[in-house]
Amino acid sequence: MASRVAGRHWDPSQLPTAYRNESKVPYLLSVHGILFVIAVIVLLLRVYVRYFMLVGLSVDDYVMLAAGACSIAMLVTFIDETKNGLGRHWLAIPYEQMERFALFAWVSSLFVVTGVNLVKISIGLFLLRVTQTQRWRKFIIFMIVFLILIIITFLGTLIFQCIPVEAAWKYDMRPAAKCFSSETYIAIGIFNNCEQIYPRRGILEPH
């Protein structure tokens, strides 16, 4: 069956068999799976120690658990993406699979933005419990509020990246839709890498 994206048409069945069958899926699943297992083990150990050996779970632990839930959702969407084209040549993907892949990639991006920033917020909440100076406490609170606003802003940008929203994964709707340019996503990525919360020596210094 011929595939089509934004006016382009091609027939994947006409491509060489080796090209169509070439896949990085096993490698991608292995790397993603290993990192996921490591992250889950670390998270469970943290919860076990805090709940059974110390004073119990704190707000930062619950926020980290929420980030862990986002990680699980990301794994589910990632697996479905590999079933629908991720790790294969773009031209070898039938249109029906490409549309489903784009849908799950769109959903996954929402969990990525939320999960990554929840980790940062959890770190900030932890630092609030150990910092000894009022100046740094105010700074950390400011950064936590800032990160919450970042989550809301980025989610809004990703959800409404195209009007109508379905055009984000339905390529046939793209010509008539209004979508953000690729430069917008590059700017978001750069900004997301810049707004980190870094523990500094001054945070732990006494008055």
Side-chain angles (χ1 to χ4, degrees):
M1 179 181 294
S3 293
R4 61 198 186 283
V5 174
R8 295 184 60 187
H9 298 260
W10 68 90
D11 187 357
S13 64
Q14 300 301 315
L15 297 170
T17 302
Y19 183 86
R20 286 188 285 113
N21 293 337
E22 187 175 358
S23 173
K24 300 293 185 182
V25 171
Y27 170 78
L28 293 174
L29 289 177
S30 298
V31 173
H32 199 107
I34 291 172
L35 294 177
F36 175 79
V37 170
I38 293 174
V40 169
I41 291 174
V42 172
L43 179 59
L44 292 178
L45 287 174
R46 168 182 175 153
V47 172
Y48 176 82
V49 171
R50 297 292 288 274
Y51 187 80
F52 293 102
M53 302 177 65
L54 298 177
V55 295
L57 299 181
S58 300
V59 177
D60 57 308
D61 298 307
Y62 289 111
V63 174
M64 192 64 78
L65 284 171
C70 289
S71 181
I72 294 173
M74 287 163 52
L75 178 64
V76 172
T77 56
F78 184 82
I79 292 174
D80 207 290
E81 288 174 49
T82 60
K83 294 179 180 178
N84 291 280
L86 182 64
R88 295 166 54 198
H89 291 290
W90 185 59
L91 292 176
I93 306 172
Y95 175 77
E96 293 74 17
Q97 283 190 324
M98 188 175 294
E99 187 174 274
R100 184 173 175 83
F101 163 75
L103 171 60
F104 277 89
W106 178 79
V107 173
S108 178
S109 68
L110 306 182
F111 289 114
V112 170
V113 167
T114 304
V116 169
N117 284 286
L118 284 178
V119 170
K120 299 174 187 177
I121 292 173
S122 177
I123 294 173
L125 291 170
F126 169 76
L127 292 175
L128 272 181
R129 295 194 290 109
V130 299
T131 185
Q132 301 178 26
T133 63
Q134 192 64 25
R135 180 185 64 176
W136 284 111
R137 287 184 62 84
K138 291 180 180 179
F139 172 74
I140 294 171
I141 292 173
F142 167 79
M143 289 302 298
I144 291 174
V145 173
F146 177 72
L147 288 170
I148 293 173
L149 294 176
I150 285 294
I151 293 176
I152 296 172
T153 302
F154 281 10
L155 286 180
T157 302
L158 291 170
I159 292 173
F160 300 106
Q161 60 184 272
C162 287
I163 301 296
V165 174
E166 299 92 318
W169 63 86
K170 292 184 177 180
Y171 294 106
D172 281 351
M173 299 177 64
R174 288 287 180 90
K178 294 182 178 180
C179 299
F180 289 129
S181 65
S182 58
E183 287 77 12
T184 301
Y185 302 107
I186 294 175
I188 290 176
I190 294 174
F191 185 79
N192 192 48
N193 288 328
C194 292
E195 41 89 17
Q196 308 288 335
I197 293 181
Y198 290 106
R200 299 187 181 183
R201 181 181 176 184
I203 294 178
L204 304 178
E205 289 177 351
H207 293 281

